[in-house]
């Protein structure tokens, strides 16, 4: 049986309350101090090993087994644990040797969005009136300023969340970082330390990850490695979202010139081979229904039909997988991987799609007809090109990450240009060209269906590939615009689909809504209702794993509480993404852990009594319980739906050995390694050939 197969057998049996292992199967106790009992275990080739907690309770969400190389006397604890470089790392190898686990598929719980670019800087001061610049720039240097983003006075301390800016050579204020805080994609320490946060979503701007330095294309893994080392300190998860769109590096395009004016001709690397598509669009209309004054931003993008652009995105994921698999500790704390490459200003799946020339104000040229541009570009956009693009990228993620990571798709239901071909495309002014172009949400619906069907098990046009339902369970849909509950927006009624969600009570006497296990899509409230996005919700009712991200205006603790009620009362979602500022505010205003104060007492649900009032820790535990319920329902039929946080871990050592030969393995528990007081916070297994 394969590595994943053994873990699934163990999980399913333990969930049912029956040990899958005979008494003769070697068992290793995972101690709370980061050590293992026995510290060294000898087994025979072909035997399995079971890891269980020493206190007999199930693994926590931070307990895991991560393989390392052979520890040496010169290695520090931080190097052993992977929280600094230079330790005994061990790459993910063949499946029969990858003892790390459990495999985290379909994560549940609470996850925080890292910054898109430079991060926050946190500090504190005893003066309740102190501001960021006073505290962090006491010399009042004129070329530096620290901006107050949020402050929370909790006597005797004023907690400050700041950003840093410096004057550039043009006299413009631009984002910057301090030596230890505020770096690219960097999350503040108090958020990492919050035990109620299960993981961080690392938002990587492609242009930050890769650039051309005049001689070669450079990939900077520094911010990625830093995030993974922070996660290893705490046993948390890191998920990945690469942003293209406005964050696409210029060197990929065939008109790139590294030294314009200075040198004749185009000074560019061989990688500059993508045909640029020049478009212009914006996120949302103004409140009066008109476009922004500038009609959005001008963008230079790649077409999903351009094979060179597709190869670039595939190469990004392959490089990321290779880098993370080089250290099994990193790969173990990797959560989900978001499907990207076709973006506007965020990691959401959307492209410039409006055709608004001339704009509503009557100024010709202020807006562009993006659909016509996509239709006429060298590698013309078509729906089939879009579907093949996503199928190929999803297949790349599937294979590059060994089928051990879920693929998250951030949908925008009307996010793609309505183009059939150069002779048939939509115009927003009603004067569309030709006919037969797709409806507003048709392309997103097709991408969701192909993903659910698991067509990405094979590369190519998904229209020509058969279903693979088991692989399809790795495809997780999410929407990133979750609002507060409609009742807290003034509505007199719940979402229509709320009637299918049973009201349950957890072990602490707190109410929550369970998932709907019928497999049927109920009547749902639609766009404009304030309810969870119905396209994502439908995927959940059809048996897929789903989640939601709040809007960037959902910051206050009471708003988070209301959004969580909205999500759980009207969808089968089991993970929740919130913005870093919101997580920071909760930690400093409500506290952390089981004893933290409740998020709210006044909203529609918490006003109904103490059983409806919960802190972030309790919300996270209930989301994990939802995920366990889904695993109980589907895990036996679909291994990719088994719980990501099982009660134990098991692995069978099947790598063939000659009689008497010995294969040695060392490993740590990432969630307890750093805090261990032992001089040897690792375990050791010797496999002896038969």
């Amino acid at each position: 049986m394969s590595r994943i197969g053994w873990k699934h057998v163990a999980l399913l049996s333990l969930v049912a309350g029956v040990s899958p292992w005979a008494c003769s199967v070697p068992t290793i106790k995972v101690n709370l101090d980061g050590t293992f009992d026995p510290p060294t275990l000898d087994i025979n080739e072909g035997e399995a090993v079971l890891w269980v907690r020493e206190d007999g309770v199930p693994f926590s969400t931070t307990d895991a087994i991560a393989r390392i190389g052979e520890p040496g006397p010169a290695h520090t604890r931080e190097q052993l644990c992977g929280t600094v470089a230079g330790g005994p790392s061990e790459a993910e190898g063949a499946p029969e040797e990858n003892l790390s686990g459990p495999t985290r598929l379909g994560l549940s719980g609470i996850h925080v969005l890292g910054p898109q670019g430079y991060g926050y800087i946190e500090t504190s001061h005893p003066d309740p009136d102190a501001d960021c610049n006073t505290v962090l720039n006491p010399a009042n240097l004129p070329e530096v300023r620290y901006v107050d983003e949020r402050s929370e006075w909790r006597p005797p301390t004023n907690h400050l969340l700041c950003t840093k800016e410096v004057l550039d050579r043009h006299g413009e204020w631009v984002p910057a970082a301090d030596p230890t805080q505020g770096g690219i994609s960097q999350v503040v320490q108090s958020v990492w330390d919050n035990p109620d946060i299960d993981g961080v979503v690392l938002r990587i701007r492609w242009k930050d990850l890769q650039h051309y330095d005049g001689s070669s294309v450079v990939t900077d893994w520094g911010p990625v490695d830093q995030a993974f080392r922070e996660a290893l300190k705490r046993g948390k998860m890191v998920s990945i979202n690469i942003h293209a769109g406005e964050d696409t590096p210029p060197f990929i395009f065939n008109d790139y010139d590294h030294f314009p004016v200075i040198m004749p001709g185009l000074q560019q690397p061989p990688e500059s081979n993508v045909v640029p598509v020049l478009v212009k669009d914006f996120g949302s209309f103004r409140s009066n229904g008109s476009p922004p004054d500038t009609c959005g931003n001008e963008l230079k993008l790649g077409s999903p039909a351009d094979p060179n652009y597709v190869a670039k995105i595939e190469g990004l994921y392959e490089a990321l997988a290779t880098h993370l698999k080089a250290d099994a500790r990193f790969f173990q704390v990797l959560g989900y991987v978001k499907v990207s490459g076709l973006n506007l200003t965020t990691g959401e799946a959307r492209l410039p799609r409006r055709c608004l020339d001339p704009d509503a104000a009557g100024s010709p040229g202020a807006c562009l007809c993006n659909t016509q541009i996509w239709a006429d570009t060298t590698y013309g956009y078509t729906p089939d090109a879009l579907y093949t693009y996503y199928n190929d990228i999803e297949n790349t993620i599937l294979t590059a990450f060994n089928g051990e990571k879920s693929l998250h798709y951030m949908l925008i239901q009307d996010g793609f240009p309505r183009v059939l071909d150069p002779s048939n495309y939509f115009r927003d002014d009603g004067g569309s060209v030709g006919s037969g172009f797709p409806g507003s949400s048709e392309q997103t619906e097709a991408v969701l269906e192909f993903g659910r069907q698991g067509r990405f098990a094979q590369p190519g046009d998904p229209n020509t590939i058969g279903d693979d339902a088991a692989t399809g369970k790795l495809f997780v849909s999410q929407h990133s615009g979750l609002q507060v509950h409609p009742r807290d927006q003034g509505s007199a009624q719940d979402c229509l689909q709320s009637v299918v969600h049973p009201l349950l009570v957890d072990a602490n006497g707190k109410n929550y809504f369970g998932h709907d296990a019928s497999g049927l899509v109920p009547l749902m409230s639609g766009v404009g209702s304030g309810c969870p996005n119905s396209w994502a919700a439908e995927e959940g009712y059809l048996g897929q794993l789903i989640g939601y991200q709040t809007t960037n205006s959902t910051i206050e603790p009471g708003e988070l509480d209301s959004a969580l009620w909205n999500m759980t009362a009207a969808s089968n979602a089991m993970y929740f993404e919130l913005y870093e500022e919101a997580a920071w505010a909760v930690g400093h205003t409500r506290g952390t852990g089981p004893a933290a104060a409740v998020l709210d007492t006044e909203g529609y649900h918490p006003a109904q009594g103490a059983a409806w009032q919960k802190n972030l820790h309790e919300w996270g535990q209930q989301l994990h319980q939802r995920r366990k319920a889904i695993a109980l329902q589907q895990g036996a039929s679909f291994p990719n739906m088994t719980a990501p946080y099982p009660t134990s871990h098991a692995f069978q050592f099947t790598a063939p050995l000659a009689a008497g030969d010995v294969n040695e393995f060392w490993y740590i528990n990432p969630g307890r390694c750093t805090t261990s007081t032992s001089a040897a916070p690792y375990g050791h297994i010797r496999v002896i050939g038969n």
Side-chain angles (χ1 to χ4, degrees):
M1 186 178 290
S2 70
R3 169 193 179 195
I4 295 179
W6 271 110
K7 285 187 281 187
H8 289 153
V9 170
L11 173 61
L12 294 173
S13 301
L14 287 171
V15 166
V18 179
S19 174
W21 310 105
C23 295
S24 60
V25 172
T27 298
I28 297 175
K29 290 184 179 179
V30 179
N31 298 327
L32 300 181
D33 66 355
T35 62
F36 301 88
D37 184 18
T40 295
L41 175 69
D42 286 354
I43 63 171
N44 293 318
E45 171 194 345
E47 283 193 284
V49 172
L50 175 67
W51 285 266
V52 298
R53 280 269 294 260
E54 66 166 333
D55 51 4
V57 303
F59 272 19
S60 73
T61 56
T62 62
D63 283 319
I65 303 301
R67 188 179 177 188
I68 62 174
E70 181 177 0
H75 288 136
T76 66
R77 180 187 312 281
E78 290 75 16
Q79 288 174 327
L80 287 170
C81 301
T83 59
V84 299
S89 62
E90 183 71 27
E92 284 280 301
E96 63 269 18
E97 294 185 338
N98 285 342
L99 61 86
S100 301
T103 300
R104 308 290 198 198
L105 293 174
L107 294 185
S108 51
I110 309 292
H111 300 263
V112 169
L113 290 170
Q116 185 173 343
Y118 284 93
Y120 293 113
I121 296 170
E122 60 180 350
T123 189
S124 61
H125 198 273
D127 182 355
D129 296 322
D131 60 35
C132 291
N133 203 58
T134 300
V135 176
L136 296 172
N137 186 19
N140 200 28
L141 299 175
E143 70 277 9
V144 178
R145 69 182 182 187
Y146 291 86
V147 180
D148 291 14
E149 299 296 341
R150 189 182 181 101
S151 64
E152 293 294 344
W153 169 247
R154 289 296 175 267
T157 304
N158 186 12
H159 300 279
L160 299 168
L161 190 66
C162 320
T163 52
K164 180 181 181 180
E165 296 177 342
V166 297
L167 280 173
D168 67 8
R169 60 189 180 90
H170 302 293
E172 301 290 336
W173 290 104
V174 295
D178 271 356
T180 61
Q181 290 197 77
I184 297 291
S185 302
Q186 189 175 353
V187 172
V188 296
Q189 290 294 301
S190 66
V191 170
W192 275 116
D193 289 338
N194 188 335
D196 306 328
I197 303 302
D198 293 292
V200 163
V201 181
L202 188 61
R203 295 197 287 176
I204 304 170
R205 299 188 303 186
W206 187 2
K207 64 186 180 183
D208 293 329
L209 182 65
Q210 292 186 323
H211 69 276
Y212 179 60
D213 67 358
S215 59
S216 63
V217 174
V218 177
T219 301
D220 180 9
W221 295 112
V224 175
D225 290 352
Q226 181 180 19
F228 276 83
R229 298 197 191 285
E230 294 292 343
L232 281 166
K233 290 179 184 178
R234 305 158 177 89
K236 295 180 184 287
M237 308 301 294
V238 180
S239 297
I240 298 291
N241 185 9
I242 300 175
H243 290 198
E246 68 177 11
D247 295 323
T248 302
F251 77 82
I252 73 166
F253 297 106
N254 63 14
D255 62 351
Y256 175 70
D257 190 355
H258 188 68
F259 296 109
V261 180
I262 299 177
M263 299 177 66
L266 296 177
Q267 309 302 312
Q268 58 182 216
E271 291 86 351
S272 300
N273 58 1
V274 173
V275 175
V277 183
L278 304 179
V279 286
K280 186 179 185 182
D281 210 346
F282 52 91
S284 301
F285 285 97
R286 293 186 293 195
S287 58
N288 63 3
S290 65
D293 290 336
T294 61
C295 212
N297 299 318
E298 295 181 350
L299 299 171
K300 182 184 290 188
L301 304 179
S303 169
D306 185 341
N308 292 321
Y309 184 71
V310 177
K312 290 282 189 297
I313 303 299
E314 291 175 332
L316 275 177
Y317 286 111
E318 290 167 345
L320 178 66
T322 298
H323 181 74
L324 296 179
K325 288 193 295 186
D327 189 330
R329 295 167 298 188
F330 280 16
F331 197 70
Q332 177 57 33
V333 298
L334 172 63
Y336 42 85
V337 180
K338 297 199 175 185
V339 182
S340 192
L342 301 181
N343 312 114
L344 187 58
T345 58
T346 69
E348 295 165 295
R350 68 189 308 182
L351 289 171
R353 60 177 177 79
R354 296 183 179 92
C355 177
L356 294 170
D357 62 319
D359 73 355
S363 301
C367 295
L368 301 179
C369 184
N370 292 300
T371 49
Q372 182 179 6
I373 293 170
W374 284 115
D376 291 341
T377 190
T378 302
Y379 293 103
Y381 177 102
T382 66
D384 284 343
L386 178 79
Y387 307 149
T388 300
Y389 168 87
Y390 275 119
N391 198 73
D392 285 346
I393 300 305
E394 291 159 15
N395 176 261
T396 297
I397 297 172
L398 173 72
T399 55
F401 292 92
N402 301 343
E404 295 184 31
K405 305 299 174 182
S406 298
L407 292 68
H408 284 218
Y409 179 81
M410 300 172 64
L411 74 89
I412 296 287
Q413 65 267 15
D414 57 350
F416 298 115
R418 299 173 62 183
V419 176
L420 179 64
D421 55 41
S423 301
N424 299 275
Y425 56 87
F426 177 78
R427 293 179 60 93
D428 291 76
D429 61 7
S432 297
V433 175
S435 62
F437 42 80
S440 60
S441 61
E442 181 179 336
Q443 295 173 93
T444 293
E445 290 166 0
V447 172
L448 294 174
E449 182 176 15
F450 288 139
R452 182 188 343 120
Q453 293 170 335
R455 303 285 179 93
F456 61 92
Q458 301 293 330
D461 181 356
N463 289 292
T464 65
I465 299 171
D467 292 355
D468 186 333
T471 297
K473 294 300 183 182
L474 290 172
F475 185 83
V476 180
S477 300
Q478 90 167 59
H479 186 259
S480 301
L482 182 67
Q483 304 174 40
V484 300
H485 194 279
R487 294 276 193 174
D488 293 318
Q489 298 185 47
S491 175
Q493 63 182 17
D494 296 325
C495 303
L496 294 175
Q497 63 266 39
S498 295
V499 297
V500 304
H501 290 275
L503 181 62
L504 305 175
V505 181
D506 68 14
N508 297 315
K510 298 293 186 177
N511 293 336
Y512 72 103
F513 290 103
H515 83 290
D516 171 49
S518 69
L520 303 174
V521 179
L523 185 64
M524 290 189 289
S525 300
V527 175
S529 65
C531 297
N533 177 271
S534 59
W535 280 266
E538 180 174 333
E539 292 301 304
Y541 293 125
L542 290 173
Q544 297 295 108
L545 298 174
I546 65 165
Y548 286 91
Q549 179 190 118
T550 66
T551 63
N552 58 12
S553 62
T554 306
I555 299 297
E556 301 304 322
E559 296 171 340
L560 293 176
D561 187 74
S562 182
L564 280 158
W565 280 114
N566 192 18
M567 181 181 85
T568 54
S571 81
N572 278 349
M574 48 36 180
Y575 77 90
F576 178 80
E577 293 180 354
L578 70 160
Y579 280 82
E580 183 182 4
E581 180 184 344
W584 185 89
V586 167
H588 286 291
T589 62
R590 300 298 191 267
T592 64
V598 299
L599 295 179
D600 191 29
T601 60
E602 299 178 352
Y604 174 77
H605 289 93
Q608 298 178 44
W612 299 84
Q613 298 169 4
K614 294 177 281 192
N615 57 35
L616 195 62
H617 171 84
E618 290 164 331
W619 272 114
Q621 294 306 304
Q622 290 177 347
L623 291 176
H624 292 318
Q625 189 57 43
R626 269 188 156 214
R627 181 65 179 86
K628 290 177 183 177
I630 294 172
L632 276 173
Q633 178 193 3
Q634 296 196 48
S637 300
F638 298 105
N640 288 330
M641 295 292 276
T642 52
Y645 302 111
T647 57
S648 63
H649 175 57
F651 180 72
Q652 185 185 25
F653 293 82
T654 58
L657 293 170
D661 283 358
V662 177
N663 199 358
E664 296 187 86
F665 298 83
W666 290 267
Y667 58 89
I668 62 169
N669 180 354
R672 302 184 189 276
C673 185
T674 304
T675 58
S676 176
T677 59
S678 169
Y682 55 84
H684 179 210
I685 295 174
R686 289 167 25 99
V687 183
I688 303 170
N690 297 325

